[in-house]
Amino acid sequence: MTYSQITGHRSMVLDEQRNAHYSNAIKKLINGQSIVLDLGAGLGIHGLIAARAGAKKVYLVEPKVELSVIVKIAQQNHLTGNIQCIKGSIEEVDLPASVDVIISVFTGNFLLEEDLLPSLFYARDRYLASDGILIPDRAKMELVPVCAPDYFDSRVSCWSNHSQTIEFGLVREYAANTIFYDDHRAMAEGFLAEPAEIFDLDFMTAAKAECRNRINISITRDGSCHGLLGWFQTRLGDTWLSTSPLEPETHWRQAFLPLDPPIAVKSGEVISVQIQRPEFGEWTWTVETGKSRQRHSTFLSEPVSRSRLQKNSDDYKAILDDKGRAAKAILEMLNGEMSTDEISGTICKSYPHLFPGNQHAKRFVLKLIECYT
Amino acid sequence: MVFQPTDRFSVSEEVLSQEVNGETVLLDLDGECYFGLNEVGTRIWQLLQSEQTLSEALNTLSGEYDVSRDQLESDLNELLDKLTKAGLVSLADRL
């Protein structure tokens, strides 16, 4: 699913559990004087609800969805009078005024996935009035150790089985360091303890969306712990919306953080769980019992080459490769004087080893035109 | 920092490492920083984890690389200095 695909918003627009909570909070908190920002509006459902609730003005800011679609939806709902649709990320646009309310759905799976919260904090600091409010304004992350042999087998230990006599055992380590976002409601039967809160984030005051916390969890039944199951809940007005597997389903997925090998635990035992996730960084989870300690990290879920790391370094002095030089030449030709066909033909002749035919060159040219014109 | 031939080093528990194509990427979980090691640096990192003394590591590297001992010693000290300052390794003991 990509946010630029119109129908990709289906799961969110039709998430009745989510939208009912948002709608209730919007109707309680917005009045006829409210200036509202719907941040990352998508197809505009929450901003339109705010407009219908009587907001004085609603800004719908959305970077991915084609603006004309949102405008037409507003027109179809007879809600154009007090609405302004703005295309772009909040960091790219300039709103003409401060706002009283910021509505957002910048909570990713397990709260921090997708790293959208930093943009909410940016919007808060730049546009929210001193007595303004956020919807939602707070979130908590929760997790529980689980016995989940079937899922573990299907995603992690399966790699130890050969396929058509070909061994793939080394992939198991990557799998054991991957977080699996899925509908994990079936894991509710495998809870080995009471769910515990591991992180509490106040959106009104937080400077960063990062988690680094350790908690102790008391095991409530004997079993094999195949991993940790995590989710979040968020506060909208005076009610909480939870993405727990024990609560009504939402479009959010729970997160399964594997432990490999699984750990045998006993009722009454206390285990220590640490979760760490810096902004835009890797998830790391560590579980300690009286007998063992395991650490896993998404850093180890995919191979990371030194050259890729170097390229992200602040002191890296980059040099264009052939493809980069071709891109530079194309960008310099985008001066309104040459057609796409002419540019493609020129590039194809200059870089025959990169573009075996005009069609290959044209695809490359069109990508640059899409991005930079 | 000046190291002695009998120095041993221990790798911080807060460091994750992965080797790809003979080179290594380190993630320091405390500082949330990444470090890259080339092939020689990767070999030095492996030797650090085997708890050899500085002198033993230098002897091992001299047997494996067709480079002067002085150059290897300089490279080794330079890398150890960087890793120590970054908190990725620390002196285990000094006799």
Side-chain angles (χ1 to χ4, degrees):
Chain A
M1 191 269 284
T2 70
Y3 290 122
S4 54
Q5 188 182 12
I6 302 294
T7 54
H9 289 257
R10 182 188 64 85
S11 64
M12 293 174 284
V13 170
L14 299 183
D15 183 347
E16 284 304 317
Q17 178 72 1
R18 176 194 87 154
N19 294 332
H21 275 78
Y22 270 83
S23 180
N24 290 339
I26 289 167
K27 288 171 187 169
K28 278 186 188 159
L29 296 170
I30 282 175
N31 58 48
Q33 296 307 308
S34 300
I35 311 288
V36 178
L37 165 60
D38 183 357
L39 179 62
L43 297 185
I45 183 169
H46 297 138
L48 295 176
I49 291 172
R52 187 161 277 165
K56 186 175 178 184
K57 179 79 176 186
V58 181
Y59 297 104
L60 295 167
V61 175
E62 168 54 42
K64 304 275 189 186
V65 176
E66 174 57 44
L67 212 61
S68 63
V69 174
I70 309 174
V71 169
K72 282 182 191 169
I73 291 173
Q75 287 168 347
Q76 189 175 43
N77 287 275
H78 311 289
L79 289 169
T80 52
N82 53 350
I83 283 185
Q84 184 174 345
C85 299
I86 303 172
K87 180 89 183 269
S89 69
I90 193 62
E91 292 88 352
E92 292 166 348
V93 304
D94 279 314
L95 298 187
S98 67
V99 300
D100 304 301
V101 182
I102 298 178
I103 305 169
S104 68
V105 194
F106 275 16
T107 45
N109 290 324
F110 206 16
L111 184 62
L112 303 178
E113 196 62 16
E114 292 183 82
D115 282 302
L116 295 170
L117 285 171
S119 292
L120 171 59
F121 301 157
Y122 172 91
R124 174 200 69 199
D125 294 342
R126 184 155 177 206
Y127 293 112
L128 191 65
S130 57
D131 58 348
I133 54 178
L134 299 176
I135 301 173
D137 69 342
R138 192 170 161 200
K140 298 181 187 183
M141 288 165 67
E142 298 174 319
L143 52 75
V144 67
V146 288
C147 175
D150 292 342
Y151 195 86
F152 182 85
D153 187 51
S154 73
R155 297 294 192 276
V156 180
S157 59
C158 57
W159 291 104
S160 295
N161 306 324
H162 64 76
S163 179
Q164 298 297 314
T165 76
I166 306 296
E167 301 286 343
F168 288 93
L170 65 85
V171 178
R172 180 167 176 159
E173 188 176 347
Y174 293 115
N177 287 282
T178 299
I179 296 182
F180 296 96
Y181 297 101
D182 214 332
D183 176 359
H184 288 306
R185 283 176 295 160
M187 285 192 192
E189 294 177 6
F191 283 12
L192 295 168
E194 290 298 313
E197 179 185 311
I198 188 141
F199 185 51
D200 188 336
L201 186 65
D202 184 344
F203 293 175
M204 288 296 290
T205 57
K208 281 188 169 186
E210 59 184 10
C211 169
R212 186 176 183 136
N213 213 2
R214 181 199 298 269
I215 57 172
N216 290 329
I217 297 178
S218 292
I219 300 296
T220 53
R221 67 178 178 96
D222 297 355
S224 281
C225 178
H226 295 86
L228 307 168
L229 186 65
W231 60 86
F232 73 95
Q233 55 173 321
T234 190
R235 189 170 72 181
L236 301 115
D238 53 11
T239 63
W240 288 83
L241 168 64
S242 175
T243 64
S244 159
L246 301 174
E247 296 293 333
E249 188 182 4
T250 68
H251 77 280
W252 282 283
R253 309 288 86 176
Q254 296 87 27
F256 176 67
L257 294 71
L259 295 174
D260 194 20
I263 300 173
V265 293
K266 290 210 161 297
S267 178
E269 181 178 356
V270 175
I271 67 172
S272 164
V273 174
Q274 179 173 345
I275 298 282
Q276 178 176 338
R277 203 313 184 131
E279 269 187 357
F280 306 102
E282 306 285 355
W283 292 88
T284 302
W285 57 103
T286 309
V287 174
E288 279 186 74
T289 69
K291 301 188 214 88
S292 68
R293 182 177 187 268
Q294 272 194 40
R295 165 168 282 163
H296 295 267
S297 175
T298 54
F299 170 67
L300 300 171
S301 66
E302 291 287 335
V304 176
S305 71
R306 180 170 161 257
S307 62
R308 193 176 119 203
L309 180 71
Q310 271 182 318
K311 287 179 181 179
N312 286 307
S313 159
D314 287 346
D315 55 5
Y316 180 60
K317 292 177 183 167
I319 299 175
L320 287 178
D321 60 13
D322 267 358
K323 210 164 184 183
R325 282 188 280 276
K328 183 179 173 186
I330 293 166
L331 289 172
E332 284 166 357
M333 284 186 255
L334 298 178
N335 53 15
E337 290 175 12
M338 290 178 74
S339 70
T340 301
D341 267 349
E342 286 166 343
I343 296 172
S344 305
T346 304
I347 284 300
C348 193
K349 283 193 193 117
S350 304
Y351 297 90
H353 57 293
L354 290 179
F355 308 110
N358 262 18
Q359 284 306 313
H360 293 91
K362 191 173 177 184
R363 276 199 290 272
F364 190 65
V365 171
L366 286 173
K367 277 188 189 161
L368 293 173
I369 288 174
E370 174 75 28
C371 286
Y372 298 113
T373 65
Chain B
M1 190 170 182
V2 177
F3 301 109
Q4 295 174 10
T6 50
D7 282 341
R8 284 181 210 276
F9 298 83
S10 59
V11 171
S12 166
E13 281 191 2
E14 298 304 306
V15 175
L16 299 177
S17 65
Q18 66 161 298
E19 195 178 312
V20 176
N21 296 328
E23 297 182 319
T24 297
V25 175
L26 309 174
L27 171 57
D28 171 21
L29 293 173
D30 268 345
E32 294 167 5
C33 288
Y34 296 86
F35 297 86
L37 302 176
N38 60 15
E39 279 189 28
V40 177
T42 294
R43 185 65 183 120
I44 293 171
W45 183 256
Q46 290 166 351
L47 293 172
L48 284 174
Q49 292 178 91
S50 68
E51 296 182 345
Q52 291 192 359
T53 64
L54 187 60
S55 172
E56 287 165 348
L58 193 50
N59 288 340
T60 303
L61 290 168
S62 294
E64 292 175 2
Y65 292 96
D66 189 18
V67 174
S68 74
R69 192 179 172 92
D70 283 347
Q71 181 63 53
L72 279 173
E73 189 169 11
S74 171
D75 289 347
L76 181 55
N77 275 295
E78 186 185 341
L79 180 58
L80 282 169
D81 189 53
K82 281 185 186 165
L83 293 175
T84 310
K85 281 182 179 151
L88 272 64
V89 302
S90 56
L91 276 169
D93 53 42
R94 181 162 269 184
L95 299 174

